[in-house]
Amino acid sequence: MAAANIILILCDQMRGDCVGAGGNNRIQTPNLDDLASRGTIFSHAYSSVPSCIPARALLWTGQSQWHAGLLGMGRGQGQMPDDYPHTIAGELTRAGYRTHMVGKGHFHPQRSLMGFESTELDESGRMPDSDYRQWFRAHAPEGVTPDDHGVDWNSWHARPWHADERLHPTFWTMSRALEFLETRDKSKPFFLNISFARPHSPYVPPEYYFHLHRPDDIPPPFAGEWAAIHAGARPAKNRNAWRGKMTAQQIQRARSGYYGEIAFIDAQIGRLMNWLQRCDHDAFNNTLFIFTSDHGDMQGDHNLWRKTYAYEGSSRVPFILVSPRGSKRPEVKEVIELRDIMPTVLEAAGMPVPETVDGRSLLPLLERPSSDWRKYIHGEHCTCYSEEQEMQYVTDGYRKLIWFPRLSSEQFFDLEIDPGECRNLIDDRGRQKEIGQWRDYLVAELEARDCGWVKNGRPHCPDENPLVSPYKTVRWLGT
């Protein structure tokens, strides 16, 4: 039986290790834990290009980063195109679904619909006339703005929200989603994307949630044996620093704000589930729920902040799937990525998957392990904050090889014994055969592109020019 309705809950910049049901016994996410108990948590879910625009392009198109035409946010890249021939919302709209998005789209132009029939936008500071900011001006006390907390939207600083809880963008996003559910045409199935602009900085949750986790509830950051290269004191003075050695107190305060933002999102998911169970029980029983994020946030791990890195804090995302068909596997450990969402949704809706889609449906994994599932995923990010952080990576959730093309250096981690990626094993003599296999995986991905980035059987950066996909300006139409 196809699912009549689909709700995709998307967070911005939420780490994969910040859900209680995923093993974090310090963070308070009771509603997400309940959601996971009803379905399946995917413990090895990754963002192949861990920054906002490219990650969302992969999600909406089901394509690899090469075919989607975006290899990062930075040198040589561009905005998300608005002329992809197939998107999740576009396919569902054509099939008769009522499609709506509330929150962050990060489309270009920002009012582009990306296949949705309608949107209500909260784009943080990028859009002064967003629907959220218009609503805020109409409902906040005179003279109060959403920015009065004084924290920039790429900062590691944190503090409590300065206004009423109901004026917070996270609360507004769920309120508008509930309004859509209350007023929709119930003769049609719906696809609703609830897209929170948090826990992306600024880390300014309402005061109750800022103080919800005690200081000893906040885990310290991972600090790799190799992380001193990012420990400069001067960069840490920058309020928007992407790296630098912060004090333990500074990190704890930032993480309190970050954990608080996640807990507040969790409370909104509680509002959604309560409303569906009370007011639309039929929809609740016949809806496919997906909860995930576009990428993570380093939160001081290895003296790094924000995203664009191959490390777990940046590239691994939470992923929960609840199907009305049920699931026999409470946890799936096969490696998945955001491009898998589109074929999953279309299969659940009983629709064909376009040839442009590179991802695979996750629904079969709810029943049993797959013997022919992918061995790894390939991720990357172009130069963004610094050339030295441009990276390529391959992982299956158990091992990870990272290559830094501008530095001609590599890292290799055994995530089973070192989930924090604190010990670089690239020179371990006993691991060289294994490392060679993972290097071969990366070589195979780059060779298939015919882009000149392989030489003598090894990854090779040929010149100072950025790597750009030929599909940056010409849409991929499938094989």
Side-chain angles (χ1 to χ4, degrees):
M1 180 184 68
N5 310 303
I6 297 136
I7 295 180
L8 170 61
I9 305 171
L10 180 62
C11 293
D12 190 353
Q13 207 155 303
M14 181 171 168
R15 293 168 60 112
D17 62 0
C18 281
V19 177
N24 185 334
N25 59 10
R26 300 189 184 192
I27 197 164
Q28 296 193 37
T29 55
N31 295 293
L32 283 173
D33 298 346
D34 175 70
L35 192 66
S37 73
R38 300 170 185 266
T40 298
I41 190 163
F42 289 76
S43 51
H44 295 153
Y46 285 88
S47 178
S48 295
V49 194
S51 63
C52 301
I53 292 174
R56 290 164 187 264
L58 272 60
L59 188 158
W60 292 122
T61 65
Q63 296 179 327
S64 70
Q65 59 267 26
W66 190 250
H67 289 156
L70 289 168
L71 310 182
M73 288 176 64
R75 201 159 70 103
Q77 311 308 312
Q79 297 291 337
M80 190 190 314
D82 66 349
D83 61 347
Y84 288 115
H86 301 284
T87 63
I88 299 175
E91 296 303 294
L92 292 172
T93 298
R94 283 191 284 270
Y97 274 68
R98 173 68 175 98
T99 59
H100 186 63
M101 186 198 78
V102 180
K104 177 177 177 177
H106 220 148
F107 303 149
H108 182 76
Q110 285 174 314
R111 289 288 183 186
S112 296
L113 293 175
M114 201 60 70
F116 284 98
E117 290 182 284
S118 55
T119 61
E120 297 175 87
L121 300 180
D122 167 30
E123 299 284 4
S124 299
R126 287 177 297 276
M127 191 177 181
D129 65 338
S130 71
D131 299 292
Y132 163 67
R133 286 176 177 263
Q134 292 181 43
W135 176 90
F136 188 98
R137 286 193 291 270
H139 291 85
E142 185 175 356
V144 177
T145 80
D147 307 309
D148 290 345
H149 48 70
V151 182
D152 201 2
W153 51 285
N154 262 324
S155 180
W156 52 271
H157 293 184
R159 54 150 288 176
W161 176 246
H162 60 288
D164 288 346
E165 183 176 304
R166 69 181 183 88
L167 297 175
H168 195 281
T170 296
F171 191 93
W172 174 86
T173 298
M174 185 54 74
S175 295
R176 297 312 303 157
L178 293 176
E179 174 70 14
F180 166 80
L181 291 171
E182 285 189 68
T183 59
R184 67 184 175 87
D185 179 356
K186 293 190 177 181
S187 68
K188 299 176 66 174
F190 68 84
F191 170 52
L192 173 62
N193 174 219
I194 306 172
S195 183
F196 294 108
R198 300 292 198 275
H200 189 299
S201 47
Y203 312 133
V204 290
E207 184 149 2
Y208 171 82
Y209 294 91
F210 187 90
H211 297 293
L212 183 61
H213 300 90
R214 301 187 306 271
D216 57 356
D217 287 332
I218 307 296
F222 293 111
E225 299 171 342
W226 48 271
I229 58 174
H230 301 302
R234 185 173 180 180
K237 301 296 183 183
N238 185 338
R239 65 194 178 114
N240 292 331
W242 62 270
R243 69 174 176 180
K245 183 67 173 178
M246 315 297 184
T247 68
Q249 184 180 32
Q250 287 172 323
I251 295 171
Q252 188 273 328
R253 187 168 182 83
R255 289 187 162 212
S256 291
Y258 185 75
Y259 269 40
E261 291 281 7
I262 292 170
F264 192 41
I265 290 171
D266 183 83
Q268 306 316 302
I269 294 169
R271 291 176 66 198
L272 171 67
M273 295 303 169
N274 290 342
W275 187 90
L276 284 170
Q277 288 177 304
R278 286 197 308 262
C279 303
D280 201 343
H281 205 262
D282 288 342
F284 179 79
N285 287 331
N286 195 28
T287 295
L288 179 84
F289 295 91
I290 296 176
F291 173 87
T292 191
S293 180
D294 53 358
H295 53 78
D297 187 322
M298 290 300 289
Q299 283 288 294
D301 283 355
H302 315 301
N303 302 309
L304 293 169
W305 295 87
R306 292 192 259 170
K307 62 272 190 175
T308 77
Y309 314 102
Y311 305 118
E312 293 285 279
S314 167
S315 63
R316 190 165 78 86
V317 295
F319 201 101
I320 297 169
L321 192 157
V322 182
S323 170
R325 304 179 189 178
S327 175
K328 296 179 180 178
R329 301 179 71 192
E331 180 181 13
V332 167
K333 296 185 178 182
E334 285 88 344
V335 66
I336 70 165
E337 49 192 326
L338 296 177
R339 75 186 72 163
D340 296 327
I341 292 175
M342 181 168 177
T344 301
V345 165
L346 295 183
E347 181 182 343
M351 296 171 56
V353 177
E355 290 187 357
T356 55
V357 170
D358 296 311
R360 296 181 61 178
S361 172
L362 303 175
L363 297 185
L365 294 180
L366 303 182
E367 296 298 311
R368 63 188 64 85
S370 173
S371 60
D372 68 342
W373 196 253
R374 63 173 69 95
K375 294 180 180 179
Y376 61 88
I377 65 154
H378 167 224
E380 64 194 297
H381 204 285
C382 67
T383 293
C384 186
Y385 311 137
S386 167
E387 279 199 351
E388 66 191 77
Q389 283 305 303
E390 183 169 338
M391 61 80 179
Q392 300 268 335
Y393 80 92
V394 281
T395 188
D396 62 354
Y398 297 96
R399 304 288 187 272
K400 185 186 290 179
L401 176 77
I402 307 173
W403 174 50
F404 300 96
R406 305 298 168 183
L407 301 178
S408 298
S409 66
E410 296 173 312
Q411 292 179 325
F412 183 73
F413 299 105
D414 184 335
L415 300 176
E416 289 185 280
I417 62 175
D418 180 23
E421 299 164 308
C422 294
R423 186 183 176 202
N424 180 14
L425 301 173
I426 198 67
D427 295 323
D428 188 317
R429 292 184 179 181
R431 298 273 186 159
Q432 292 309 301
K433 182 177 179 180
E434 185 179 18
I435 290 169
Q437 177 63 73
W438 283 94
R439 191 179 289 126
D440 287 346
Y441 291 151
L442 179 56
V443 166
E445 294 291 329
L446 296 175
E447 277 188 327
R449 295 177 173 182
D450 192 23
C451 59
W453 275 52
V454 174
K455 184 177 180 179
N456 298 325
R458 294 179 73 103
H460 168 69
C461 183
D463 52 43
E464 64 182 16
N465 294 319
L467 181 59
V468 177
S469 166
Y471 303 107
K472 175 183 175 182
T473 55
V474 179
R475 301 286 75 80
W476 166 253
L477 299 179
T479 55

